[in-house]
Amino acid sequence: MDGRGVCHDLYFSHPIAYAVGVGVPAKHCARARRLGRNRMEGAMKITRCGEVPSVRAPADAFTGVVWQNPIVTAHAPGRVGSALVTFLPGARTFWHHHPLGQTLYITQGTGWFQTEGEPRIEINAGDVIWIPPHEKHWHGATDSTTMSHVAMHERDGARHVTWLDPVSEADYLALG
Ligand code: MN
């Protein structure tokens, strides 16, 4: 509260004040505090490096050695999910599709990506790939290099992916 009767310390929790970046009149402080409790409780969280164990990707959806580091698992009504996924040489997903699509941001290395019916393509660190809903595809490392990507997708109900068959060695190694 300053000399003009303006509450600054809660401005960030008042939606209008937040929008314009100013303090709110003192008479609104109680409301801001109420809104603050409702809107901000548990909202801010830092997960420090090393707090969340890496997870070995399951053999019924991935071929080879794949490690996942969870980034986001949204609480309802949010539905975004994200993970950093690292594929060792030869490793890849099974064929699959996503009900609401998926974005991949390649963070390290060189890998391969294929949409069904199209040639396999090479993907490299810095590339961003958007995969439309229901489009059957796979992604992974090349046979001689690692590849890591951040995967981002939204749940449709309880599901963000539908897993299909493994990618055969013939399909995996077929030239693009
Ligand atoms: Mn995918």
Side-chain angles (χ1 to χ4, degrees):
M1 194 86 68
D2 66 12
R4 294 169 298 140
V6 172
C7 167
H8 288 279
D9 58 343
L10 286 169
Y11 83 88
F12 55 82
S13 65
H14 187 285
I16 296 171
Y18 179 85
V20 297
V22 299
V24 296
K27 64 181 178 179
H28 295 317
C29 269
R31 172 173 155 72
R33 194 171 290 115
R34 257 196 331 275
L35 285 169
R37 258 203 310 279
N38 291 337
R39 290 163 55 85
M40 302 299 288
E41 194 169 63
M44 169 60 193
K45 183 181 181 190
I46 298 178
T47 303
R48 299 295 183 184
C49 183
E51 284 183 26
V52 180
S54 302
V55 179
R56 179 75 189 268
D60 59 358
F62 294 81
T63 298
V65 179
V66 181
W67 285 93
Q68 297 171 312
N69 293 303
I71 299 172
V72 181
T73 303
H75 299 288
R79 55 187 186 180
V80 68
S82 182
L84 173 64
V85 188
T86 297
F87 301 79
L88 297 195
R92 66 272 189 182
T93 67
F94 282 20
W95 288 101
H96 64 283
H97 50 80
H98 305 277
L100 296 175
Q102 183 180 52
T103 299
L104 303 176
Y105 173 53
I106 314 304
T107 56
Q108 182 275 131
T110 298
W112 288 332
F113 172 92
Q114 187 176 20
T115 294
E116 186 181 42
E118 297 182 13
R120 190 194 72 196
I121 61 169
E122 184 180 293
I123 53 180
N124 291 289
D127 293 346
V128 176
I129 301 157
W130 160 246
I131 302 139
H134 309 299
E135 190 168 279
K136 184 176 171 183
H137 67 284
W138 62 268
H139 28 109
T142 73
D143 60 346
S144 61
T145 62
T146 64
M147 185 276 285
S148 302
H149 64 50
V150 174
M152 294 160 272
H153 36 252
E154 292 178 277
R155 276 196 316 272
D156 186 17
R159 178 174 286 274
H160 75 275
V161 59
T162 298
W163 294 111
L164 305 169
D165 297 327
V167 178
S168 68
E169 285 296 300
D171 282 349
Y172 177 66
L173 295 172
L175 292 178

